[in-house]
Amino acid sequence: YPDEDLADLSEAETAAELSAVKAELDALADSHRYGRAVSEGVRTVLVGRTNTGKSSLLNLLLGFERALVSDEAGTTRDVVSAPAVVCGIPLLLADTAGLRAGAGEVERAGIEQLEQAELVLAVFDLSQPLTDEDYALADRIRALGKAAQTIAVFNKLDLAAQAAPPALFETQVCLSARTGAGREALENAVGALYGGLEPDMDSVVTSARQAAALRRASEALDGALCALGDGAPDASGTELDAAIAALGELDGRSVSEAVVAEIFSRFCVGK
């Protein structure tokens, strides 16, 4: 557009500008993990076989008795959820029924919680040797690809019959949920896994829809950069249009009917 008196950018300059924009979009999209943690809490599930002390651990982390504790195996008969802050990190804790063979509806609910969890506290009984169910749980966690985000919590340190627990996961702690001994070690382990969550930027994204729009825009910029490198500026322009459209969804300038329907499905619109 000659009347706008805009200077031409070389392909190298254009590529550098697009790369810088892409880096900003990627950083903002990555902030969704922190934004979701702040708004909802890191989804944390306590799993283990019956009577390993999961409910006692939940109460210890909360600082009050939220779950019923009993020596009787299988006391927890539903998923008990509660928010907590551990080492400055907001967690949404879910205490599940003990996992055992022939799982019923309650146990299956616990398995679903495990599949959806971002942080897993796998609780084992340090006062007795590990059982086949314990090893099966560890195998399930690894099969789900969650080993790196799992902390093996060897409970009942005050009744410990073992000198040292076997190595199941990279991160392991020993504690007594009854006395509180070892709580600091668990908090430090959580902090080591999630302490670097806060992004080094002023703005964060809390919506999964917005994060998805940012990632689509970033992918379109990738396509634009590839097209520039291949000497196809027209194809690059098409990818830039796609990136702009994705950003339009982000700030509301251009949204499809499907996006509008999704947004309003989350609100109760009164008269």
Side-chain angles (χ1 to χ4, degrees):
Y1 302 96
D3 57 321
E4 293 187 5
D5 195 28
L6 296 177
D8 290 335
L9 288 177
S10 67
E11 287 188 5
E13 291 173 320
T14 301
E17 290 286 345
L18 293 182
S19 295
V21 172
K22 175 177 162 43
E24 290 185 28
L25 294 183
D26 288 341
L28 191 55
D30 289 342
S31 75
H32 177 237
R33 188 178 179 217
Y34 173 74
R36 184 175 58 184
V38 170
S39 61
E40 303 174 11
V42 176
R43 299 185 67 169
T44 305
V45 64
L46 286 71
V47 294
R49 61 181 172 83
T50 59
N51 211 29
T52 56
K54 298 183 297 299
S55 296
S56 296
L57 178 58
L58 175 74
N59 293 339
L60 176 69
L61 293 175
L62 293 177
F64 62 91
E65 292 193 6
R66 171 67 176 82
L68 175 65
V69 176
S70 169
D71 291 333
E72 179 186 351
T75 304
T76 301
R77 300 307 300 155
D78 200 355
V79 176
V80 179
S81 299
V85 176
V86 176
C87 205
I89 301 163
L91 305 179
L92 180 59
L93 300 171
D95 176 23
T96 63
L99 302 180
R100 46 192 166 186
E105 289 298 324
V106 177
E107 286 82 359
R108 280 194 287 272
I111 293 171
E112 290 177 3
Q113 290 283 336
L114 173 59
E115 293 172 343
Q116 298 169 8
E118 298 170 283
L119 173 62
V120 179
L121 301 182
V123 186
F124 304 95
D125 187 345
L126 194 59
S127 70
Q128 54 186 267
L130 294 188
T131 67
D132 290 342
E133 288 176 312
D134 291 322
Y135 287 110
L137 171 61
D139 289 341
R140 181 188 290 273
I141 291 171
R142 285 189 283 269
L144 290 171
K146 295 183 181 291
Q149 61 207 72
T150 295
I151 300 174
V153 181
F154 289 89
N155 188 27
K156 304 186 182 182
L157 179 62
D158 52 319
L159 305 174
Q162 306 177 58
L168 293 180
F169 296 98
E170 183 176 348
T171 305
Q172 303 194 162
V173 298
C174 297
L175 58 73
S176 169
R178 187 178 68 84
T179 68
R183 172 177 178 166
E184 185 177 351
L186 175 58
E187 292 180 344
N188 290 340
V190 173
L193 286 179
Y194 283 89
L197 202 59
E198 185 171 356
D200 185 22
M201 58 195 314
D202 295 331
S203 301
V204 296
V205 171
T206 60
S207 162
R209 179 186 62 81
Q210 292 176 324
L214 285 165
R215 298 203 185 281
R216 286 200 305 275
S218 176
E219 290 170 3
L221 289 183
D222 261 336
L225 286 167
C226 289
L228 280 177
D230 293 339
D234 290 343
S236 177
T238 300
E239 294 287 357
L240 287 176
D241 283 340
I244 292 171
L247 293 177
E249 290 184 21
L250 178 71
D251 62 13
R253 283 177 295 175
S254 61
V255 292
S256 66
E257 291 184 8
V259 170
V260 172
E262 170 65 17
I263 292 173
F264 278 91
S265 70
R266 301 174 183 269
F267 293 92
C268 177
V269 182
K271 296 180 180 178

